[in-house]
Amino acid sequence: MWAANTGYHHNVAGVARDDVTKLDQRISRSVNSGDQITVTTNATVPSTASVISAQTGSAFATDRSYTIWGDNNGVVSDTVAITAGFIAGRSRSARVWRLQMTGTVPTQLTVCIPDALIPAAFLTGDLTDLKLTGATAADFSAGNSLYTMTAGTCPGTGVGVTTGVPGRYATFDSTVLNGMGGLGYFSVSRKMLDHIEITADANSGVTCAPTTYTVKACGDASCSSLYTGGLTGTLTLTGSGVTSLPSGGAPFTIAAGQSSTTVSAQVLSVSTATVGATGLSLTPANAKPVFCGLGVAANASNACSMSVSSAGLLMSVPSHYAGASQTLSIKAVRSSDNAQVCVPAFANVTRTVKATCSYVNPSSGTAPVQLGSVKLNSGNTNSACDVTGQNLSLAFDATGAASTTLSYWDAGRARVSLSYSGSAGTNDAGLSLTGSAEFVAAPMGFIITDYPSVATAGSPFSFKIKALAWGSNINVLPNFGQESPREGVVLDWVRSEPLGAGAQSGSFAGTVGLFNAGVADVSNASWSEVGRISPTVRLASGSYLGSSLTSAGNPIGVMGWTHCASESGGSANACVVPSGVTAAVFLGCPPMA
């Protein structure tokens, strides 16, 4: 029933059925003084205003069934990072309970943990991520289950009590309990703040215009896990001779449920400013609380230096679908002699600028950014971006503005940078202008290929999913699925035949592998019924790299549109059609707007 000398011998209690001894215990807590967890076979925690008896809960199905727990006496205010398994990146309480089950497991097991036994850091911000966490391994690296905890009252000491303490509860179901194989562990866990990333399009700016910074809350050192509990703080610009606006820094708020926000701040003096953050509402766990990415991908070793000049190139380009042509807007500016405003650095002239491109997320790639007809690498070819780039002739109007077209035939976040050096021949010797802009290029859609035209009901089959560029069923995006955190897809399906009143939906399943070179293999796909179906996929995040661009696909492909289907024979997943496109309709599917 209970193994001794396991290290979990503190506050031992249990629920059980033993017909010989007439034991029928369905709710229990340790008799030890102080706050204790309450565990019941009931689906909810009973009200402390009611009379609680030993039989409050669901009966065990068979005789000689025992579920016993004890804790490791871990310091309840301490947290421990979970470093392995599918919940790696979460933090758990140092207090862990060992759960040993003999005989038949309960129908369910509801655990109520007093707030006093939960780390205080777990009880701030958005609590929807506070989870009762189960595992088959003591380090929580395997056999994991997560249940959202509900605020309630944990019953106090004794039988028939009418008092209690504030706590949180959740319920393990019998499937999870059986999956523990007689021995499991549980605690509470949350995604916690490891550090914040502060990024900007470039590591340079101009005194006459603010710079927009993105502040992201990261749940682990690689930022593959995000913290969404809510965060406030102030972005600072400091250094010798630095004056900034707002004075004292720019306050920011990352709302609960979100992981990032943007904030604008302006350096008013020609100087080098150090970008940082103060007054964070939650202390990051990382020894280096701020990772900077100014013109590069954020990293712990990067400098947080922003070089600010009196003149530069202000650039912008919208995020878009890969392969689609966009307008890159450029403005050559300098600070006014009399006020802190931007005026044209030159007007009604044509100038030659150096143009380069680079990769932000993923941090490497194989396709160039193209401006006009020029591909930004040393050979002007369909190869990767490089530091050499190409020279580009731009016509600036009376306001110092110029533009060109931009296209990029891959997925991810990329950057285009321009620089100009004046000369005596153009009567602007000594003038130096630099600027850059980032954009997200999202997959326009997906196509499913290599699937069988006929398969046996219930038997496995396989197929491939390819991420595609704008208006094409052949231009695969090799960087899709290589982002950090990785983007991926959700597998779905739609039944087109039969559609009669007696038609059965059956069930469809399959395992999607990781994308490599823009292609993912789906294995062990099967449909339990007979008829005609089509697999479909959609972007798992619903917003590629936070750009608000989404995509979907099917065996027909993209061809300038994307597919979205949800009907009685398919999944209940809501489908989202990207802005500006029309949903394709399969034979037998009801029309969709």
Side-chain angles (χ1 to χ4, degrees), residues 448-465 491 508-509 521-527 531-535 555:
I448 294 174
T449 67
D450 301 281
Y451 61 95
S453 58
V454 177
T456 303
S459 297
F461 60 93
S462 61
F463 53 88
K464 296 182 183 296
I465 302 171
L491 186 63
F508 177 79
D521 291 313
V522 177
S523 59
N524 299 318
S526 65
W527 186 38
R532 184 183 299 276
I533 66 167
S534 292

Side-chain angles (χ1 to χ4, degrees), residues 5-97:
N5 302 317
T6 63
Y8 295 85
H9 56 279
H10 302 275
N11 308 307
V12 177
V15 290
R17 172 182 168 181
D18 189 319
D19 293 349
V20 172
T21 62
K22 307 298 182 183
L23 176 63
D24 184 11
Q25 187 80 30
R26 307 178 194 177
I27 185 170
S28 186
R29 69 193 300 278
S30 170
V31 298
N32 292 339
S33 61
D35 292 298
Q36 302 291 339
I37 67 170
T38 299
V39 178
T40 176
T41 59
N42 201 39
T44 60
V45 177
S47 169
T48 55
S50 64
V51 176
I52 299 174
S53 72
Q55 285 72 52
T56 299
S58 300
F60 281 90
T62 61
D63 182 25
R64 298 181 63 79
S65 297
Y66 310 90
T67 298
I68 302 174
W69 59 89
D71 68 65
N72 64 350
N73 202 35
V75 178
V76 296
S77 60
D78 290 349
T79 61
V80 178
I82 299 172
T83 59
F86 92 89
I87 62 170
R90 297 183 69 86
S91 294
R92 63 165 175 84
S93 170
R95 178 70 60 92
V96 176
W97 288 265

Side-chain angles (χ1 to χ4, degrees), residues 54 341 403 406 570:
V341 296
S403 66
L406 177 148

Side-chain angles (χ1 to χ4, degrees), residues 315-320 326-329 404 406 414 416 437-440:
M315 303 165 54
S316 65
V317 61
S319 294
H320 54 276
Q326 296 294 311
T327 297
L328 172 66
S329 299
T404 185
L406 177 148
V416 60
E438 291 184 6
F439 61 89
V440 169

Side-chain angles (χ1 to χ4, degrees), residues 99 101 105 136 175-184:
L99 191 65
M101 293 162 285
V105 303
T136 55
T175 301
V176 168
L177 295 174
N178 277 311
M180 290 182 176
L183 178 63

